[in-house]
Amino acid sequence: MAGLRWGLVGATTIGREWMIAGIRAAGGEIVSVYSSDAARGAAYAAEFSIPSATTSLEIMLREVDAVYIATTNDRHREQCLAAAAAGRHVLCEKPLATRLEDAAAMVSACREAGVVLATNHHLRNAATHRAMRDAIKAGRIGRPLAARVVHGGALPRHLHGWRLHDVAAGAGVIFDLTVHDSDLFRFILEDEPAQVMTIAQNGGLASPPVEDAAMTLVTFKSGLIGQVYESFTTPFLRTRLEIDGTRGSLVATDCMAQRPGGTVVLRHSGGEDGIALDQEDYYARGVRAFEAAVRGEGRPVATGEDGLISLAVALAAQRSAVSGRSENVQTLSEILS
Ligand code: NDP
């Protein structure tokens, strides 16, 4: 079966490093790239053998079945709404937007247009995380009571732009990584975050008031408690994800990345067992599920609604970092009501 005809919205780093290959590996055909800069768009198209480049989103939308939106976070809303109005499916980068009302408008517009909206929370595709989710569902750690994520490292030099300095574009580690981690908790634990309390740090890399590291405590509907540390500033950090239950603990190491990898062990009364992992490119797996969802076969790995909730967590974390208090995370029905 022929794959979708895709348009890339934004001549971006994530496209260059992962998503162009991911779309093609999943059977999609990239027919056009949109960029606000004609020369940069044309050079990008030539570099990746994309047949056309345009500075008109409207023209691109006539030529494609689906768009991959990866511009800065403040531009996602307008571009998603244009795609929905043209009846095109949307795979959008996280965070879906910088304001909850923008993300809610994106979800509503895609629902009304009857098009698929997915959020590119790639970490759901990691074999480590899928194995942890399966182990918990199978009851292998008993009742989960606590979860911890350590996620970060050194932000590569070529990404030292808007992410560190441009508040309006959606800068900061909370928009960049807390959205992923809160989504991952929801995916693995099948639980909903209720409250967060965050301490943000500026370690000298980002321009204040932008944070370049943050630590967040999360309480979930079930009573489970979680802890998340994200940073752009700690080059030798080892990424980890741990879930502790009444009868066992799951420990994943080197697992919070873009490249497939990492290990998971299950610790229990009988000792420690490694879990066999079926590794696969995270981005290609996400696009494959998106293409299937467009054909009416299942759901995207992370929906627009999932992206709405991960943004709600990030915004609550930002509020908490300022207020110094614990902040409620709005539920999906509260956001969409
Ligand atoms: P980039 O900075 O590479 O691209 C963002 C925008 O900046 C582009 O749309 C482009 O504008 C403009 N731009 C790109 N390169 C240049 C340049 N050399 N000079 C001037 N402007 C330029 O962003 P990323 O690829 O790092 O991130 C894009 C989105 O993807 C964000 O929403 C981010 O949060 C998300 N992301 C998601 C990841 C994931 O694993 N899910 C990982 C990394 C990022 P134009 O549209 O005009 O071409």
Side-chain angles (χ1 to χ4, degrees):
M1 188 177 304
L4 296 174
R5 289 166 57 82
W6 286 82
L8 305 182
V9 182
T12 63
T13 311
I14 177 73
R16 163 175 278 110
E17 294 181 346
W18 296 100
M19 284 299 289
I20 291 174
I23 290 170
R24 288 175 170 161
E29 181 191 1
I30 301 171
V31 297
S32 181
V33 56
Y34 158 87
S35 173
S36 60
D37 182 304
R40 201 155 38 74
Y44 196 89
E47 182 181 352
F48 295 103
S49 306
I50 297 169
S52 88
T54 178
T55 55
S56 163
L57 189 56
E58 200 187 328
I59 290 175
M60 171 194 272
L61 288 170
R62 286 190 215 128
E63 299 174 350
V64 302
D65 304 309
V67 289
Y68 166 58
I69 299 177
T71 46
T72 50
N73 307 322
D74 54 326
R75 291 153 73 194
H76 297 172
R77 172 197 168 125
E78 178 197 332
Q79 293 165 339
C80 174
L81 263 51
R88 306 302 181 230
H89 303 281
V90 179
L91 172 56
C92 187
E93 270 306 342
K94 43 47 67 170
L96 278 189
T98 54
R99 303 182 314 167
L100 213 46
E101 57 267 38
D102 292 338
M106 294 162 68
V107 168
S108 300
C110 289
R111 279 185 184 178
E112 279 158 29
V115 297
V116 172
L117 172 61
T119 310
N120 207 21
H121 279 311
H122 68 293
L123 290 168
R124 288 184 177 220
N125 294 312
T128 42
H129 305 149
R130 290 187 281 120
M132 292 171 103
R133 174 180 155 104
D134 292 346
I136 292 168
K137 268 178 178 290
R140 296 181 72 186
I141 66 166
R143 183 159 69 97
L145 290 175
R148 284 179 301 287
V149 171
V150 177
H151 187 182
L155 185 72
R157 274 217 74 82
H158 65 281
L159 298 180
H160 287 199
W162 60 269
R163 244 185 207 78
L164 295 178
H165 310 298
D166 189 343
V167 173
V173 81
I174 292 175
F175 272 151
D176 206 46
L177 300 181
T178 309
V179 284
H180 276 315
D181 297 335
S182 57
D183 178 72
L184 197 53
F185 274 162
R186 290 184 63 241
F187 173 70
I188 293 177
L189 299 163
E190 293 197 334
D191 205 345
E192 291 298 325
Q195 286 193 314
V196 298
M197 185 150 193
T198 297
I199 300 170
Q201 181 184 61
N202 184 291
L205 189 62
S207 302
V210 177
E211 79 290 345
D212 48 34
M215 199 170 279
T216 297
L217 299 178
V218 193
T219 54
F220 289 80
K221 291 264 154 59
S222 70
L224 183 144
I225 50 179
Q227 181 190 347
V228 184
Y229 169 67
E230 290 107 357
S231 85
F232 290 153
T233 47
T234 44
F236 302 103
L237 168 153
R238 190 159 193 195
T239 68
R240 290 189 299 283
L241 171 52
E242 301 171 352
I243 315 280
D244 302 309
T246 49
R247 289 197 290 112
S249 287
L250 288 159
V251 180
T253 310
D254 301 325
C255 56
M256 308 297 292
Q258 293 178 289
R259 192 173 300 288
T263 56
V264 183
V265 296
L266 171 64
R267 296 164 57 88
H268 53 87
S269 58
E272 198 170 281
D273 299 323
I275 297 185
L277 300 173
D278 177 16
Q279 300 279 12
E280 179 182 358
D281 182 89
Y282 303 165
Y283 296 95
R285 188 174 184 277
V287 176
R288 217 168 19 256
F290 181 91
E291 294 230 352
V294 168
R295 292 194 302 270
E297 299 162 15
R299 289 153 55 85
V301 170
T303 61
E305 287 81 355
D306 292 319
L308 197 48
I309 297 174
S310 64
L311 176 61
V313 175
L315 292 167
Q318 288 179 344
R319 288 197 303 276
S320 171
V322 172
S323 70
R325 289 193 300 269
S326 134
E327 297 281 344
N328 289 332
V329 178
Q330 283 147 285
T331 63
L332 193 58
S333 53
E334 284 167 354
I335 299 165
L336 291 174
S337 64

